[in-house]
């Protein structure tokens, strides 16, 4: 049995986000000016680049870094979900974060076919 492209990318994302991310990255990646953001994003870029090539790797790494700043997620929670003061905010941030990351990967798989 082989993995689909999406399944392989999902596994690489989980490896980069959960197994290869240390506390230094997790705490400091929210600032674009901090090296942790770029190290963490580069790990994603290298792993996903193995699957999608360097353009896909760099694109998905930059999107990952942007999402990890929490600005898109906090906007979504404030404007759409309207639960900025929820006691469940930490788990909502993680859930929305992971959903956006996986959506970017799925979007790349769909739209990259259009450009080839």
């Amino acid at each position: 049995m082989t993995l689909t492209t999406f399944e392989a990318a999902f596994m690489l994302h989980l490896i980069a986000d959960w197994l290869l991310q240390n506390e230094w990255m997790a705490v400091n990646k929210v600032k674009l000016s901090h090296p942790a953001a770029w190290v963490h994003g580069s790990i994603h870029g290298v792993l996903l680049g193995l699957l999608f090539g360097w353009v896909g790797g760099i694109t998905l790494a930059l999107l990952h870094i942007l999402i990890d700043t929490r600005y898109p997620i906090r906007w979504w929670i404030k404007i759409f979900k309207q639960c900025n003061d929820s006691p469940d905010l930490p788990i909502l941030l993680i859930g929305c974060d992971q959903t956006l990351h996986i959506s970017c990967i799925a979007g790349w798989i769909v739209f990259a076919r259009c450009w080839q």
Side-chain angles (χ1 to χ4, degrees):
M1 181 168 95
T2 60
L3 298 176
T4 66
T5 302
F6 177 76
E7 291 167 339
F10 183 69
M11 289 305 301
L12 291 171
H13 169 78
L14 291 176
I15 290 166
D17 236 18
W18 295 97
L19 295 180
L20 298 179
Q21 179 176 203
N22 61 26
E23 185 177 0
W24 173 75
M25 287 181 239
V27 169
N28 296 299
K29 67 183 179 182
V30 297
K31 295 179 187 171
L32 286 176
S33 61
H34 199 283
W38 297 94
V39 170
H40 180 62
S42 295
I43 291 169
H44 279 275
V46 168
L47 291 180
L48 292 170
L50 294 172
L51 186 62
F52 297 124
W54 69 270
V55 174
I58 290 173
T59 302
L60 290 168
L62 292 173
L63 287 169
H64 195 95
I65 292 167
L66 176 66
I67 291 166
D68 279 351
T69 65
R70 295 283 195 250
Y71 287 111
I73 296 162
R74 290 200 180 272
W75 177 85
W76 185 260
I77 286 174
K78 180 181 177 184
I79 302 301
F80 184 77
K81 293 188 73 66
Q82 299 182 359
C83 59
N84 207 31
D85 297 323
S86 171
D88 297 326
L89 189 59
I91 194 66
L92 290 169
L93 289 172
I94 292 169
C96 288
D97 172 84
Q98 291 301 301
T99 301
L100 284 174
H101 291 318
I102 299 306
S103 296
C104 288
I105 290 170
W108 181 263
I109 291 168
V110 170
F111 291 116
R113 290 182 187 146
C114 298
W115 299 322
Q116 293 178 355

